[in-house]
Amino acid sequence: MVTPDLLATCWTSAGDVMPARTGDRSPIGIERRIKAVAAAGYRGFGLNHADLVAARAEIGLSRLAELLATHGLVHIELEVLDQWWATGPVRAASDRVRADLLAAASSLGARHIKVGAGMLGDRYDPAVLRESFAALASEAEDAGTRIALEACAFSSMPTLEPAVQLVTDVAHPRAGLLLDIWHIYRSGMDYRAMAAIVPAEYLFGVELDDGSATQVGSGLEDTFDNRLLCGQGDFDVAAFIDAVAGLGYEGPWGVEMMSHDHRALEPEIAVAEAFDAAQRCLTTGRKP
């Protein structure tokens, strides 16, 4: 069995950073992160907006693209765009991030841009949401990339169903879904039920991690502070892998590792531990 490519999502290599406490910027230089991720065996690299803007200012997008290519990192993920349906100052701030991410996606050849769905309790007009999502997908197409919507358990789409509904209603080839085992598990959804409603043609990304059955703290605190390496928690990562594999997913598998312990490690050790754990689960968890 051939193990699929793995992609280190942005937080996996970012070091001691937690947005609610430290801001979004990684304290680790971009070249060190790229080298560490490649040395661990990954074939993909994720970068958030704050670190992307910093890298653009420090070395430029052309040099960033060169570094990624030189180190064999061919699957590039950018994140995160939120409030893409909003109005007023909130939308203006979102649009600035949108412009940066789309321009960088074109320069770097990003496979997708990850987008969010606000926070739990946010309200929106479904018609406006559909129109805004379709417009975003068209802009992504112009930039040569795709939009991957992640339904976080503490977002305005706390379960997968509304995200699937939006993607299928819009039915744009550049607008799809990203499935993170963390949020699927925290939403209480059975993995077989997940696979039953996800259209395979709209599955653009997958993320692996693990955790305890019980949430600790707020949803945001829990997702950033308490993740475990794949295979070390209660999420039954093998069952999730089998459910996704049954959809015929052939893209890279993201590894999204965030925790107090993970952030305390040197990046070279942190990304390698996360890679090895995910690879073990992929090797043993996928049915032939």
Side-chain angles (χ1 to χ4, degrees):
M1 181 183 295
V2 178
T3 304
D5 290 348
L6 298 185
L7 181 154
T9 67
C10 71
W11 305 115
T12 301
S13 70
D16 192 11
V17 56
M18 194 288 200
R21 292 191 288 266
T22 67
D24 294 347
R25 279 288 309 277
S26 169
I28 303 168
I30 190 65
E31 294 195 38
R32 183 181 179 188
R33 290 173 66 184
I34 288 172
K35 290 177 182 177
V37 166
Y42 295 91
R43 295 277 287 158
F45 187 83
L47 198 58
N48 73 1
H49 176 253
D51 291 333
L52 171 68
V53 170
R56 184 182 65 190
E58 291 166 6
I59 64 174
L61 292 179
S62 295
R63 175 57 178 159
L64 178 57
E66 180 184 349
L67 282 169
L68 292 166
T70 298
H71 288 85
L73 297 170
V74 297
H75 310 293
I76 310 304
E77 174 185 78
L78 301 178
E79 65 172 279
V80 58
L81 177 64
D82 213 336
Q83 300 295 332
W84 36 269
W85 64 89
T87 59
V90 172
R91 176 59 181 268
S94 176
D95 281 350
R96 289 191 289 271
V97 174
R98 181 187 192 131
D100 288 339
L101 294 177
L102 286 168
S106 180
S107 297
L108 302 176
R111 63 176 282 108
H112 63 248
I113 295 170
K114 189 191 297 186
V115 303
M119 296 299 290
L120 194 65
D122 284 355
R123 296 289 182 265
Y124 47 77
D125 182 322
V128 171
L129 198 71
R130 290 191 295 270
E131 181 181 348
S132 300
F133 197 57
L136 181 57
S138 293
E139 291 180 28
E141 185 171 28
D142 291 341
T145 191
R146 304 185 296 180
I147 298 301
L149 173 64
E150 181 177 21
C152 294
F154 47 82
S155 75
S156 67
M157 296 182 183
T159 61
L160 185 59
E161 289 87 349
V164 172
Q165 188 69 56
L166 176 61
V167 166
T168 53
D169 282 350
V170 170
H172 194 293
R174 296 301 180 106
L177 299 162
L178 185 144
L179 303 178
D180 182 345
I181 185 175
W182 181 275
H183 297 296
I184 299 298
Y185 184 90
R186 284 286 182 255
S187 75
M189 189 175 212
D190 180 85
Y191 301 144
R192 290 167 297 183
M194 170 197 76
I197 68 168
V198 171
E201 66 271 24
Y202 292 125
L203 180 53
F204 290 177
V206 178
E207 291 177 350
L208 297 176
D209 43 74
D210 210 336
S212 299
T214 303
Q215 177 174 311
V216 177
S218 70
L220 184 65
E221 290 168 336
D222 196 39
T223 196
F224 269 94
D225 292 343
N226 301 318
R227 297 196 184 205
L228 298 172
L229 295 171
C230 292
Q232 295 188 0
D234 299 320
F235 286 9
D236 195 354
V237 178
F240 177 81
I241 290 170
D242 286 342
V244 171
L247 291 168
Y249 179 70
E250 296 181 348
W253 294 66
V255 180
E256 188 165 65
M257 185 60 199
M258 303 111 77
S259 72
H260 290 296
D261 291 342
H262 183 79
R263 289 193 291 271
L265 298 172
E266 292 297 319
E268 293 79 7
I269 297 172
V271 297
E273 286 188 354
F275 178 91
D276 291 344
Q279 190 174 56
R280 281 193 297 273
C281 284
L282 281 163
T283 301
T284 60
R286 291 188 305 152
K287 295 176 182 176

